[in-house]
Amino acid sequence: MNNLTILVVDDDPVIRRLLEQRLIREQYEVLLAEDGHKGNDLLSTNHIDVVLTDLMMPGEIGGIEVLEFAKELERNIEVILITAHSSVDTAVEAMKKGASDYLQKPINFTELFLRLEKISTMRGLLRSAEDLRQAMDVTESTAAETIQNLEIIAGTLQDQVDSIENILTSDTMMIEDKISKSLNVILNWK
Amino acid sequence: MIKISPAELKTIAQYIQDISGIYLDQSKSYLFETRLSSIAEELGCSSYQELYNKAKKDPGKIIERQIIDAISTNETLFFRDNGPFELLKHKILPEIIDLRTPSSPRLKTNIKIWSAASSTGQELYSVAMTIRDLLGTQIDKFNFKLLGTDISDGAVKQASYGKYNKFEIERGLPRQTLQKHFTLFGGSWKVKDQLRGMVNFRKLNLMLPFTGLGKFDIILCRNVAIYFTLADRKKLFNKLADSLADDGFLIIGSTESLTGICPRFIPKRHLRAIFYQKKN
Ligand SMILES: C[S@@+](CC[C@H](N)C(=O)[O-])C[C@H]1O[C@@H](n2cnc3c(N)ncnc32)[C@H](O)[C@@H]1O
């Protein structure tokens, strides 16, 4: 089962259609945007796992800007750039800004599905690790509370024992005084 | 994966304890196998006995280092447990600053802090961030020496480099803190120079004598003693008491206890966290 939601941002209607059909056939949820503006709008209003965006698009919002916007919104989001052969350098530059990958046109779907598959597996693993971690955090914080309470109690008892030891080993006190002072320590400890 | 025999388990477990203090439960043979098998295979060993023999004979101790890196649990995160950092911010740092500020305003305040098992550095950088956030521009009046040590070469290396991937970053670091103290660097995040400049990392085995470190005002020794035997824990905290200023502060892991381990320390509570000071 593929439970990823994918946003496709591309100004070319043919590529949009093609990606939509192929992705839906593979059971992905798909959202479409015809430019960067629309892409960013959809990013703001939907939960999206992967953005598949063209690098070069007309208008002031290109693939890089979509990438930056997406990462700003949600650090965990995966962004795959689609590039023409000539803009590989820009794509590499984009990887530094946090893009997960880039694909060259014409899109090789086998390659694309493999990458999405990898992202999906990775997310699943992360999810279970996160679940485990949360379970552990709860156990740990409960244990910490108990241990810290005991630690303070043990410390207090140690202090009492120390003061009683001081009293009992004193050379200047009568035995009756020692006993009553020791009892006082035990009974009146704050 | 190469299987480990009961005899090898004993040898290897003892060897690991000797070189690192880390005590491993011999009933968990899979733990040895999953962590050491690839080292053995890479070195062309067909058994763990062979790996042990090679490690013992290796003059550069490279194999020993690899084994330690593989065995040690470097699990850590920024602002782990949060409590200790609140404690530092609201109680320990203000108090130690008061105690250490010299009467002459021309002199700088010297404060030494030690993260005694710093792993990949998140703990010490969290301390550094806490200090910067607390002092703001006043920080120039202070001379903070922040030292992080660990037995694992790999961990010390990453800590010194100060670069973290997004998984390491996402755990525990609020966005604002991230943007203030880190810069994006090829999909990872790198500690900014001003923060990096406050800290130093180096290799140190807590089982060995602490020579040349001097006394510290604050020591964090969290989530490492849990891997040692009771006897080794006692020795460790005794040495830490020697390395701590008489009015200094010790912070241990949130699920750790010093009861029955080191009577030289007394526990104190502040809000929801505990710290230790030396008995006078
Ligand atoms: C679980 S991490 C704790 C990191 C950090 N203090 C924290 O609480 O998040 C334990 C670290 O102790 C280190 N360690 C284990 N044995 C050690 C020894 N004998 N001397 C120094 N460090 C040791 C390991 O390499 C590992 O990085």
Side-chain angles (χ1 to χ4, degrees), chain B residues 19-22 68-69 71-78 80-81 115-123 149-153 155 203-208 220-228 253 256:
Chain B
I19 57 176
S20 69
I22 299 172
I68 290 177
D69 278 359
I71 283 296
S72 59
T73 305
N74 297 128
E75 170 77 7
T76 185
L77 70 156
F78 288 102
R80 179 174 191 168
D81 303 326
S115 161
S118 49
S119 187
T120 38
Q122 284 89 328
E123 181 173 277
T149 61
D150 200 282
I151 195 175
S152 157
D153 284 285
K203 179 171 171 158
L204 177 92
N205 181 351
L206 294 173
M207 291 295 113
L208 301 177
L220 296 97
C221 183
R222 305 165 68 214
N223 308 304
V224 60
I226 45 175
Y227 301 104
F228 303 156
E256 294 179 86

